[in-house]
Amino acid sequence: MALFLLKRLGQGLVVMFIISTIAFAIQDNLGDPLRELVGQAVSEQEREKLRDELGLNDPFLVQYGRFLKNAVQGDLGTSYFFKEPALKVILTKLSATLELVFGATLIIIFLSIPLGVYTAVHPNGFTTKLILGWSILGISIPVFLTAILLVYFFAVTLGWLPSYGRGELVPMFWGWETGYLTLDGLAHLVLPCISLASIMLPLFIRLIRSEMVEVLSAEYIKFAHAKGLSRNRILYIHALKNTLLPVITVGGVQIGNMVAYTILTETVFQWPGMGFLFLEAVTRVDTPLIVAFLIVVGAVFVVVNTLVDLIYGLINPTVRLTRSAQ
């Protein structure tokens, strides 16, 4: 296990190096940050002086070398707009984004497993056809349109739930705050979490269904029936365990994708997370903040995929032993 973690750490460092290179390389194509930093009345001489002070006139390799030297020390630059370290600004918004991803993940887990198993066990049922038909519709509708429809029906028309913001928050640790511990905070989480989950839930229902259908035709399942084991034990202990192996692999990638999808969800619900911050940074051409965002999202992908591999090994010990032997 320790050897596997060291190997994945090395791979993660290579991935982060590539991500940082790409993120830093594209910043020159995002626009001129001086446009937002200074007004129109500033002379060209003063602009050039400021560019020299910021190091924007240095060659790319010089700028990138300086960036890497600071990055290994935890300094990803200073936000032009907030006048604070970009990483600090990102981390203050990270808890809000992780709240949405966590809530959406819970919705996906608790709905996709029973619905996926049900549609596999009852392939010709009327309810199964409704679920699969709804899943096609769910995959087809963009997440921002789902968010707008939820706001219109449940916030504007019915007035049951709030349409924007995080609501009442309570402190947790490291200066982070959460809305999961207050009723008002939970009410503000419902619509954004449903919206974020809507694009992934149909995918997981269909994935679990297809894997479950294949597993149920396996010989060991027929043998379990012959032994007289209960139906629920066969479905949810023997069959589901093997069904979840590929689902976990796909799930790791999709959870990372949800961090990116929060950009649309947070924009509709005015959710003060990383996605909403990223759009503001693009509008202001706040390149240090944009680069920091891309690196943090890349780090989330690396961490999530490493955890997925660990969970995969716990569920399927043969995978863990094979990796250990390597």
Side-chain angles (χ1 to χ4, degrees), residues 125-161:
F126 176 73
T127 305
T128 296
K129 294 178 181 178
L130 285 178
I131 294 173
L132 295 181
W134 166 80
S135 67
I136 294 176
L137 185 64
I139 293 174
S140 304
I141 298 178
V143 64
F144 70 87
L145 182 57
T146 301
I148 293 173
L149 291 175
L150 289 174
V151 169
Y152 176 76
F153 284 111
F154 293 100
V156 178
T157 304
L158 299 176
W160 290 353
L161 294 167

Side-chain angles (χ1 to χ4, degrees), residues 2 9 42 87 103 126 152 158 169 202 212 292:
L9 179 61
V42 177
L87 183 59
F126 176 73
Y152 176 76
L158 299 176
L169 306 175
M212 194 72 172

Side-chain angles (χ1 to χ4, degrees), residues 226-286:
K227 286 178 63 177
L229 297 179
S230 67
R231 179 188 174 104
N232 287 337
R233 181 174 179 83
I234 293 173
L235 290 177
Y236 292 99
I237 301 297
H238 297 283
L240 185 60
K241 182 177 180 180
N242 289 313
T243 297
L244 290 179
L245 292 177
V247 174
I248 289 174
T249 303
V250 175
V253 177
Q254 296 303 328
I255 288 175
N257 285 338
M258 279 200 293
V259 176
Y261 277 118
T262 57
I263 293 177
L264 299 175
T265 305
E266 290 178 2
T267 301
V268 175
F269 292 97
Q270 296 294 291
W271 190 267
M274 289 199 311
F276 190 64
L277 178 69
F278 175 73
L279 286 182
E280 291 183 327
V282 171
T283 303
R284 299 171 181 140
V285 198
D286 195 341

Side-chain angles (χ1 to χ4, degrees), residues 1 4 309-326:
M1 184 65 72
F4 169 71
D309 280 347
L310 292 175
I311 296 174
Y312 198 101
L314 292 175
I315 294 178
N316 188 353
T318 59
V319 175
R320 185 177 68 250
L321 292 174
T322 302
R323 285 175 175 159
S324 298
Q326 292 175 349

Side-chain angles (χ1 to χ4, degrees), residues 15-237:
V15 171
M16 292 306 303
F17 173 76
I18 295 173
I19 291 174
S20 66
T21 303
I22 295 174
F24 194 83
I26 65 174
Q27 64 176 344
D28 289 338
N29 299 319
L30 298 175
D32 186 3
L34 292 183
R35 183 188 67 188
E36 301 295 328
L37 287 174
V38 298
Q40 296 293 331
V42 177
S43 65
E44 190 62 31
Q45 292 79 6
E46 291 176 316
R47 287 174 179 268
E48 284 301 315
K49 180 180 178 181
L50 184 57
R51 290 183 68 87
D52 287 332
E53 292 176 357
L54 294 174
L56 298 177
N57 287 330
D58 294 337
F60 173 78
L61 291 180
V62 174
Q63 294 186 51
Y64 185 57
R66 183 166 57 236
F67 171 77
L68 283 181
K69 180 181 178 181
N70 294 330
V72 295
Q73 301 174 11
D75 181 9
L76 298 180
T78 301
S79 168
Y80 295 149
F81 179 79
F82 293 97
K83 303 297 188 295
E84 292 183 352
L87 183 59
K88 178 182 177 181
V89 176
I90 291 290
L91 292 180
T92 58
K93 305 293 185 179
L94 180 60
S95 62
T97 297
L98 292 182
E99 275 191 350
L100 290 187
V101 174
F102 178 71
T105 302
L106 291 180
I107 293 173
I108 292 171
I109 291 174
F110 287 109
L111 288 181
S112 65
I113 292 178
L115 292 179
V117 172
Y118 179 87
T119 54
V121 176
H122 306 88
N124 299 317
F126 176 73
T127 305
T128 296
K129 294 178 181 178
L130 285 178
I131 294 173
L132 295 181
W134 166 80
S135 67
I136 294 176
L137 185 64
I139 293 174
S140 304
I141 298 178
V143 64
F144 70 87
L145 182 57
T146 301
I148 293 173
L149 291 175
L150 289 174
V151 169
Y152 176 76
F153 284 111
F154 293 100
V156 178
T157 304
L158 299 176
W160 290 353
L161 294 167
S163 61
Y164 66 93
R166 291 184 68 186
E168 183 182 355
L169 306 175
V170 293
M172 284 198 309
F173 49 83
W174 298 337
W176 283 11
E177 295 179 320
T178 180
Y180 276 100
L181 302 179
T182 66
L183 291 177
D184 186 55
L186 288 172
H188 281 78
L189 278 162
V190 173
L191 294 184
C193 288
I194 293 176
S195 172
L196 186 59
S198 65
I199 195 67
M200 300 295 178
L201 181 58
L203 170 67
F204 278 88
I205 291 175
R206 287 182 163 270
L207 179 60
I208 292 174
R209 176 182 179 273
S210 63
E211 294 294 333
M212 194 72 172
V213 168
E214 183 178 349
V215 169
L216 289 177
S217 62
E219 292 297 325
Y220 76 92
I221 296 296
K222 298 177 182 178
F223 181 70
H225 280 292
K227 286 178 63 177
L229 297 179
S230 67
R231 179 188 174 104
N232 287 337
R233 181 174 179 83
I234 293 173
L235 290 177
Y236 292 99
I237 301 297

